[in-house]
């Protein structure tokens, strides 16, 4: 029992991170119908920036967090301006190849800048871990789970209550109609990119203390974030959160109860299963296939 | 499958149902998108061998009706009977094989293919060479390819694009792209042809040619459902007309009846206008 | 248009002469290995090109099918003593089945799903190669793969292996060419241009995409077979994600939807690391930059894009010249 609870806790912690990454995918998809294959690399950049700024330059933690998030946002800005904006004919395959190119480029850049070694980052707080029925919940886990909750609420408020948020959603529904009603669609796309990059970077920041950070950590995390987004329903905010947590817990249980080699396979098998059974995901309402 | 009338110059497959009976019959068809009721309880018949007009203001649901008939969406309610059988939910490519072809309001050609290749793609459901046929290229496959090319040339000539066979379709002038789309649809040898605003963007001369082309297609025994905003063209070529407004069927009748129908005029021009006159929508 | 005219045979003749003279003239096992490697990469690029360049679908895990071909054939021939020539169809079948399982759900949807699905399967297969050490030899690799023999007697030397590889490439070239110039090929290209319109003219798009995906996977498995029996030793790193990206880059350089371009892309990316030894450091950055810039400026791919611009110019000048006479 205690063991199961322990797996549950670690599953929730990992799942919260997948949820953050999934949120980034979903926001971008909502505004642009684009899947960014380089999204995982934003996570990597966030984590490695933190390594440099906090562990390397010994900046105060809040400043280091802020600067890292801003740096990743800047990368997202440049990416949209330099690589996505100039595309004249936005075919699926062209955009996919560009984001794949960006992904491998960021990875290569990460390797050149930070080397091939993996870095460890200390926990954000020095508070002791909490014990529940014999199972340990570390303070960093609490930080991570808290972050997801706050982030989801903020985003919910942003998309439901603010004009900018609603405008962004309108763009996704029809670029042309949005343009006719005076919504600057291009600006919204840019904003969606930066927002999604910052959220990806945030995922990297909170995961940094509980994993080894290296230039190649992004791809797998990106894929799992995507699985989580699909599981919950691509484009659905709470779906992303639900999908992330569910994926984390299932993964953790499969490691604990079946075989640790299966960990990375779980996410993918789950993805295949969703695609077979319900491509619109658990909470997705609109069909993924549009004419 | 090879058809008895596989000869590209010959007439297309003829309806098998009773002559003069309805080829297409809609019974209370409805469709909603989210909160928008795009079509509400639409019923009418399209008699075999006629040109049926479908008119209505922007957003009336004409294109949506085409999307239902061609199987892109399934209707939420009601039945669509084609040759007497319900085709609701049948996949698009099956419907094309069954003889329903269409064109698009915003031309949807395959831009990297030449005009002739576009028409040959249109013949997909009437040809059968698969992967093995392509690799082995036996006599049957070669004959089919030759026939296919001859038929493509013939359809291009039919719509008046004989000289453009090797031009990439994306480079054709817009009016010709519309004609090419019709040729591509005809190449599947349909019994029912759905034309979505074929005259949009055409000049007066081209529109007149289009009118003659439509009558010529009907002359080959193909039933046509025509969505068109150009009223003079519609009145000229249609045998009967159905008027849609905001998803509902407003009126049905011969062109003359529709022209004098007060409801129709007010739908187009606002409730205050009553005087019957020949008006062009938009 | 389709009749095999002299015009169409010229590139083939050129190809045969080039490959033949290189095979007779070169006399260094190391060069033979590189040239055969170019052939194997060309085969992979051709396979991926059918999928990407013609059907407009992307696979980010083609190294997995390459790897399945290599490992399956290696296992069956080294561990179970099957003749490699019998192992080959089994390897092709295995790759085809995996492709079917991944492709079936993802290709029913249009858009990005195949990309993510193949990315996933690429990783899973890589993990299996690395972790299942009792069967695959794990991270240190699989040794003792028997070389190929013909007629039960002579084992192939490097020169004949080179000819074997390039004969397979020639076969694949002809097959691809025939395919894309057929009814199926036109349908695939139309899916690339507009999947919705393709469906509306009667093409069963999901089925066709799935068929070409499986075909592409099976061709890649053949490349894996050729690789495994050439080098006699395989390890997971040869089939990693970066290799999948490298294959995509080959297709993009070679020009999507250009059969001969695939050869160019394969040759370039095989030779680059051999010539530039510092390349390994910058490999990812370079691939990334190539992919992004080519797609932004020449979405048809490098060779194809340049050829298209040339053809357009020529047509324009022809058109301009017409009223003059
Ligand atoms: N795929 C869709 N998703 C959501 N709403 C749709 C969709 N297709 C059509 N609609 C809505 O259904 C209504 C009818 O649209 P439709 O395109 O059928 O009109 P139409 O008669 O063809 O107009 P037009 O003359 O402008 O072509 C419109 O309100 C439109 O917004
Ligand atoms: Mg319309």
């Amino acid at each position: 029992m205690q063991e199961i609870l322990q797996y549950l806790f670690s599953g929730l912690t990992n799942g919260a991170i997948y949820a953050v990454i999934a949120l980034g995918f979903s926001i971008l998809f909502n505004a642009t119908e684009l899947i960014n294959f380089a999204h995982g690399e934003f996570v990597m950049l966030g984590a490695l920036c933190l390594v440099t700024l906090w562990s390397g330059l010994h900046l105060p933690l809040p400043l280091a967090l802020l600067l890292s998030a801003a740096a990743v946002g800047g990368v997202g800005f440049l990416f949209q301006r330099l690589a996505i904006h100039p595309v004249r004919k936005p075919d699926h395959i062209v955009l996919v190849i560009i984001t794949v190119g960006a992904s491998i480029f960021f990875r290569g850049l990460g390797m050149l800048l930070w080397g091939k070694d993996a870095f460890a980052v200390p926990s954000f707080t020095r508070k002791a871990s909490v014990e529940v029925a014999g199972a340990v919940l570390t303070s960093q886990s609490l930080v991570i789970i808290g972050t997801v909750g706050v982030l989801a609420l903020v985003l919910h408020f942003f998309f439901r209550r603010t004009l900018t948020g609603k405008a962004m959603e309108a763009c996704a529904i029809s670029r042309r109609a949005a343009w006719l009603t005076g919504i600057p669609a291009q600006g919204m796309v840019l904003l969606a990119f930066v927002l999604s990059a910052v959220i990806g970077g945030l995922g990297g920041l909170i995961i940094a203390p509980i994993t080894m950070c290296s230039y190649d950590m992004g791809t797998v995390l990106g894929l799992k974030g995507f699985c989580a987004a699909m599981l919950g329903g691509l484009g659905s905010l709470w779906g992303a959160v639900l999908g992330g947590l569910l994926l984390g817990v299932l993964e953790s249980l499969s490691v604990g109860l079946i075989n640790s080699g299966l960990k990375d396979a779980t996410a993918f098998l789950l993805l295949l299963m969703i695609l077979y059974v319900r491509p619109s995901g658990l909470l997705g309402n609109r069909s993924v296939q549009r004419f | 499958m090879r058809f008895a009338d596989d000869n590209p110059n010959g007439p297309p497959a003829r309806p098998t149902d009773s002559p003069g009976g309805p080829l297409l019959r809609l019974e209370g068809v409805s469709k909603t998108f989210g909160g928008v009721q795009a079509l509400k309880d639409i019923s009418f018949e399209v008699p075999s061998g006629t040109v049926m007009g479908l008119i209505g203001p922007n957003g009336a649901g004409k294109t949506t009706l085409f999307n239902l008939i061609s199987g892109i969406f399934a209707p939420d309610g009601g039945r669509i009977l084609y040759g007497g059988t319900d085709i609701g939910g049948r996949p698009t490519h099956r419907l094309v094989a069954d003889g329903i072809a269409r064109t698009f309001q915003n031309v949807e050609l395959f831009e990297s293919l030449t005009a002739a290749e576009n028409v040959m793609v249109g013949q997909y459901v009437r040809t059968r060479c698969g992967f093995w046929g392509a690799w082995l290229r036996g006599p049957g496959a070669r004959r089919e390819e030759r026939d296919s090319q001859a038929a493509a040339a013939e359809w291009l000539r039919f719509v008046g694009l004989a000289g453009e066979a090797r031009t990439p379709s994306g480079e054709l002038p817009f009016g010709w792209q519309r004609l090419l789309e019709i040729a591509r649809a005809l190449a599947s040898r349909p019994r029912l042809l759905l034309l979505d605003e074929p005259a949009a963007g055409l000049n007066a001369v081209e529109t007149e040619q289009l009118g003659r082309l439509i009558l010529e297609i009907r002359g080959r025994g193909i039933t046509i459902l025509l969505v068109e905003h150009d009223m003079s063209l519609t009145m000229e070529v249609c045998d009967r007309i159905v008027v849609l407004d905001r998803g509902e069927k407003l009126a049905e009748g011969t062109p003359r009846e529709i022209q004098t129908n007060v409801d129709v005029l007010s739908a187009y021009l606002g409730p205050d206008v009553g005087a019957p006159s020949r008006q062009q929508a938009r | 248009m389709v009749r095999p005219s002299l015009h169409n045979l010229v590139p083939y003749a050129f190809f045969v002469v080039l490959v033949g003279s290189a095979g007779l003239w070169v006399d260094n096992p190391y060069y033979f290995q590189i040239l055969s490697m170019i052939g194997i990469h060309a085969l992979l690029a051709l396979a991926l090109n059918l999928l990407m360049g013609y059907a407009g679908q992307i696979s980010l895990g083609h190294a997995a099918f390459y790897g399945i071909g290599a490992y399956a054939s290696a296992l069956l021939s080294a561990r179970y003593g099957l003749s490699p020539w019998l192992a080959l169809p089994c390897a092709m079948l295995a790759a085809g089945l995996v492709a079917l399982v991944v492709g079936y759900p993802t290709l029913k949807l249009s858009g990005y799903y195949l990309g993510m699905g193949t990315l996933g399967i690429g990783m899973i297969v890589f993990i299996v190669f690395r972790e299942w050490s009792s069967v695959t030899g794990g991270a240190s690799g699989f040794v003792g793969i028997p070389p190929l023999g013909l007629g039960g007697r002579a084992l192939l030397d490097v020169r004949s292996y080179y000819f074997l590889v390039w004969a397979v490439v020639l076969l694949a070239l002809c097959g691809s060419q025939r395919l894309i110039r057929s009814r199926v090929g036109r349908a695939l290209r139309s899916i690339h241009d507009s999947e919705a319109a393709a469906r509306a003219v009667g093409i069963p798009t999901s089925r066709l995409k799935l068929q070409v995906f499986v075909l592409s996977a099976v061709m890649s498995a053949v490349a894996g077979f050729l690789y495994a029996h050439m080098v006699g030793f395989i390890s997971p790193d040869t089939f990693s994600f970066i290799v999948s990206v490298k294959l995509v880059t080959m297709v993009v350089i070679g020009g999507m939807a250009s059969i001969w371009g695939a050869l160019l892309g394969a040759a370039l990316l095989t030779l680059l690391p051999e010539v530039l030894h510092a390349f390994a450091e910058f490999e990812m950055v370079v691939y990334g930059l190539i992919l992004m810039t080519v797609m932004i400026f020449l979405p048809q791919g490098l060779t194809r894009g340049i050829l298209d611009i040339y053809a357009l110019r020529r047509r324009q000048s022809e058109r301009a010249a017409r009223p003059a006479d």
Side-chain angles (χ1 to χ4, degrees):
Chain A
M1 186 57 221
Q2 176 191 339
E3 207 171 293
I4 299 226
L5 201 61
Q6 191 62 59
Y7 286 130
L8 197 69
F9 284 166
S10 75
L12 282 178
T13 308
N14 283 331
I17 287 160
Y18 301 153
V20 173
I21 302 170
L23 280 171
F25 271 113
S26 275
I27 286 173
L28 191 66
F29 182 80
N30 251 349
T32 61
E33 298 224 313
L34 182 77
I35 305 274
N36 181 8
F37 282 76
H39 190 67
E41 262 49 55
F42 292 145
V43 180
M44 175 271 288
L45 287 175
L48 289 179
C49 277
L50 186 70
V51 166
T52 302
L53 293 176
W54 192 34
S55 313
L57 299 178
H58 300 293
L59 294 182
L61 179 63
L63 187 64
L65 290 176
L66 209 68
L67 284 180
S68 306
V72 179
V75 172
F77 176 88
L78 288 178
F79 175 45
Q80 199 279 338
R81 282 287 102 180
L82 297 179
I84 302 291
H85 183 66
V87 175
R88 275 160 300 175
K89 197 170 165 246
D91 270 346
H92 277 163
I93 187 163
V94 168
L95 291 174
V96 171
I97 295 176
I98 287 178
T99 63
V100 169
S103 153
I104 202 91
F105 175 75
F106 290 145
R107 219 167 114 170
L109 211 59
M111 191 180 90
L112 291 179
L113 291 178
W114 281 280
K116 288 184 176 173
D117 299 329
F119 303 89
V121 173
S123 177
F124 290 174
T125 63
R126 287 214 191 78
K127 296 238 166 54
S129 311
V130 187
E131 235 190 79
V132 183
V136 184
L137 194 57
T138 64
S139 56
Q140 185 64 28
S141 293
L142 291 173
V143 169
I144 291 172
I145 295 172
T147 308
V148 181
V150 173
L151 181 67
L153 285 174
V154 168
L155 287 175
H156 182 84
F157 178 78
F158 175 70
F159 282 109
R160 287 296 142 79
R161 296 275 183 272
T162 67
L163 199 60
T164 320
K166 286 183 191 167
M168 212 147 136
E169 202 123 4
C171 277
I173 294 165
S174 168
R175 196 71 61 84
R176 195 177 129 74
W179 181 74
L180 287 175
T181 50
I183 297 170
Q186 269 305 324
M188 287 298 149
V189 169
L190 181 58
L191 182 62
F193 258 94
V194 173
L195 196 61
S196 136
V198 169
I199 292 176
L202 187 65
L205 297 180
I206 56 175
I207 199 181
I210 62 164
T211 185
M212 295 304 282
C213 308
S214 63
Y215 75 99
D216 59 357
M217 68 191 283
T219 315
V220 171
L221 283 172
L223 186 67
K224 288 188 185 167
F226 177 79
C227 291
M230 283 297 293
L231 183 59
L234 199 55
S236 148
L237 190 112
W238 292 104
V241 176
L242 178 72
L245 294 178
L246 203 59
L247 175 60
V249 170
L250 286 177
E251 202 179 75
S252 166
L253 288 180
S254 74
V255 171
L257 303 181
I258 309 171
N259 180 343
S260 66
L262 268 181
K263 181 165 187 259
D264 288 332
T266 312
F268 179 69
L269 292 178
L270 216 54
L271 175 66
L272 261 191
M273 232 150 68
I274 307 155
L275 287 172
Y276 268 102
V277 179
R278 189 179 157 89
S280 58
L282 295 173
L283 297 187
N285 42 6
R286 61 179 190 202
S287 77
V288 261
Q289 194 173 18
R290 288 203 235 168
F291 184 69
Chain B
M1 55 201 143
R2 291 189 72 81
F3 286 77
D5 55 354
D6 224 19
N7 174 9
N9 303 316
R14 244 177 297 280
T16 50
D17 44 31
S18 57
L23 178 63
L24 183 73
R25 190 181 146 102
L26 305 179
E27 291 179 355
V29 171
S30 304
K31 179 76 193 171
T32 43
F33 294 109
V36 183
Q37 178 107 40
L39 289 173
K40 202 185 300 175
D41 198 21
I42 305 292
S43 303
F44 62 87
E45 286 183 356
V46 184
S48 194
T50 61
V51 178
M52 183 72 143
L54 192 61
I55 63 172
N58 292 110
K62 306 177 296 282
T63 300
T64 304
L65 192 60
F66 271 23
N67 286 340
L68 293 184
I69 299 172
S70 56
I72 287 162
F73 305 128
D76 295 337
R79 300 202 300 164
I80 301 174
L81 299 170
Y82 169 72
T85 51
D86 191 351
I87 55 168
R90 214 181 275 183
T92 306
H93 60 91
R94 286 271 316 280
L95 289 172
V96 179
D98 292 340
I100 300 180
R102 71 172 291 180
T103 66
F104 292 88
Q105 185 167 354
N106 312 308
V107 176
E108 292 268 6
L109 285 171
F110 306 121
E111 291 187 357
S112 66
L113 274 61
T114 65
E117 284 172 330
N118 265 276
V119 181
M120 288 167 82
V121 172
Q123 298 168 10
Y124 189 86
V125 294
R126 299 290 172 242
T127 41
R128 63 172 188 186
C129 170
F131 283 81
W132 292 110
W135 284 320
L136 303 176
R137 211 175 260 177
R142 268 193 302 230
R143 170 152 33 82
E144 185 182 274
E145 186 74 13
R146 265 200 312 275
D147 290 351
S148 188
Q149 279 174 16
E154 175 58 25
W155 285 120
L156 283 176
R157 195 198 54 71
F158 180 69
V159 300
L161 294 178
E164 302 296 330
R166 312 188 80 173
T167 313
S169 64
E171 289 173 24
L172 289 174
F174 186 71
W176 292 8
Q177 292 193 2
R178 286 218 177 275
L179 292 176
L180 179 56
E181 222 190 359
I182 295 178
R184 185 182 68 187
L186 287 170
S188 70
R189 286 188 293 118
R191 291 159 64 189
L192 177 65
L193 178 62
L194 311 174
L195 299 174
D196 200 347
E197 302 200 16
L202 300 194
N203 63 33
V205 180
E206 287 170 335
T207 305
E208 211 184 300
Q209 286 169 349
L210 177 69
R212 280 200 296 273
L213 182 64
I214 291 175
L215 292 177
E216 219 171 310
I217 295 171
R218 185 188 64 179
R220 291 182 167 223
I222 298 172
T223 311
I224 296 173
L225 192 54
L226 171 71
V227 166
E228 188 47 67
H229 280 301
D230 184 321
M231 282 304 144
S232 52
L233 174 68
T234 316
M235 296 300 161
E236 203 176 290
V237 301
C238 291
D239 299 302
R240 281 182 80 74
I241 292 176
V242 167
V243 186
L244 292 185
D245 183 29
R246 274 169 268 166
E248 296 189 62
K249 184 169 131 181
L250 200 62
E252 178 177 351
T254 62
R256 185 160 293 277
E257 287 163 5
I258 295 298
Q259 264 172 326
T260 54
N261 186 313
V262 179
D263 286 346
V264 175
L265 289 171
S266 61
Y268 269 100
L269 306 167
D272 300 334
V273 184
S277 66
R278 250 190 155 191
Q279 285 290 345
Q280 196 142 320
R282 288 203 300 194
Chain C
M1 243 183 297
V2 163
R3 193 159 304 145
S5 62
L6 211 59
H7 178 75
N8 285 334
L9 291 179
V10 171
Y12 285 105
F14 188 69
F15 174 86
V16 169
V17 169
L18 196 70
V19 167
S21 52
L24 296 177
W25 178 61
V26 169
D27 209 13
N28 175 334
Y30 170 68
Y31 288 157
F32 269 125
Q33 180 117 346
I34 291 180
L35 289 175
S36 303
M37 215 46 228
I38 294 179
I40 289 171
H41 280 153
L43 196 58
L44 289 163
L46 271 173
L48 192 55
N49 189 24
L50 280 181
L51 186 71
M52 276 174 60
Y54 290 99
Q57 311 297 313
I58 192 166
S59 165
L60 298 173
H62 246 52
F65 303 117
Y66 180 35
I68 290 173
Y71 271 96
S73 177
L75 258 176
L76 290 174
S77 55
R79 190 77 41 91
Y80 299 104
L82 207 64
S83 150
W85 299 111
L86 288 177
L88 175 62
C90 302
M92 290 161 78
L93 188 71
L97 280 178
V98 173
L100 200 64
V101 169
V102 183
Y104 180 77
T106 47
L107 286 169
K108 273 204 290 199
L109 311 167
S110 46
Y112 309 93
Y113 300 97
L114 183 69
M116 276 295 173
T118 47
L119 183 62
I121 198 74
M123 281 183 184
I124 298 290
V125 168
F126 179 75
I127 291 172
V128 169
F129 290 160
R130 204 188 47 196
E131 302 294 326
W132 199 10
S133 21
S134 58
V135 175
T136 62
S140 48
F142 191 108
V143 284
I145 304 166
L148 292 182
L150 265 184
R153 304 174 277 115
L155 296 178
L156 292 178
D157 63 346
V158 276
R159 191 189 303 274
S160 27
Y161 208 95
Y162 160 88
F163 280 117
L164 171 71
V165 167
W166 282 94
V168 176
V169 174
L170 182 64
L171 205 67
L173 271 169
C174 291
S176 305
Q177 181 111 345
R178 285 190 164 197
L179 188 65
I180 60 172
R181 289 199 180 162
S182 73
R183 164 180 178 265
V184 175
R186 281 188 298 271
L188 288 174
R189 285 153 65 203
S190 70
I191 294 175
H192 190 173
D193 279 358
S194 163
E195 189 166 344
R199 217 174 297 138
V201 301
I203 294 167
T205 52
S206 311
R207 199 173 70 207
L208 213 54
K209 284 189 295 182
L210 187 57
Q211 283 172 336
V212 79
F213 178 54
V214 171
L215 169 66
S216 177
V218 168
M219 279 171 77
S220 306
V222 176
F225 162 84
L226 288 172
Y227 175 78
H229 294 281
M230 179 172 81
V231 293
F233 160 79
I234 48 179
S235 72
D237 283 338
T238 315
F239 313 106
S240 66
F241 172 63
I242 185 86
V243 176
S244 292
V245 173
K246 184 173 171 174
L247 296 178
V248 171
T249 314
M250 284 178 195
V251 173
V252 163
I253 292 181
M256 310 209 291
S258 150
I259 295 265
W260 298 99
L263 294 186
L264 182 72
L268 218 57
L269 283 201
T270 315
L271 291 177
L272 212 56
E274 300 290 338
V275 179
L276 249 74
H277 285 292
F279 184 75
E281 279 288 296
F282 299 94
E283 188 179 39
M284 290 195 268
V285 176
V286 170
Y287 292 164
L289 281 177
I290 292 176
L291 289 176
M292 287 193 285
T293 39
V294 172
M295 281 297 105
I296 292 170
F297 297 109
L298 292 169
Q300 286 288 318
L302 200 57
T303 355
R304 183 58 188 256
I306 291 169
L307 286 178
D308 278 359
I309 291 173
Y310 170 73
L312 188 67
R313 289 273 154 74
R314 209 182 52 187
R315 271 199 303 276
Q316 276 168 349
S317 59
E318 266 174 18
R319 210 160 272 175
R322 227 181 271 167
D325 51 39

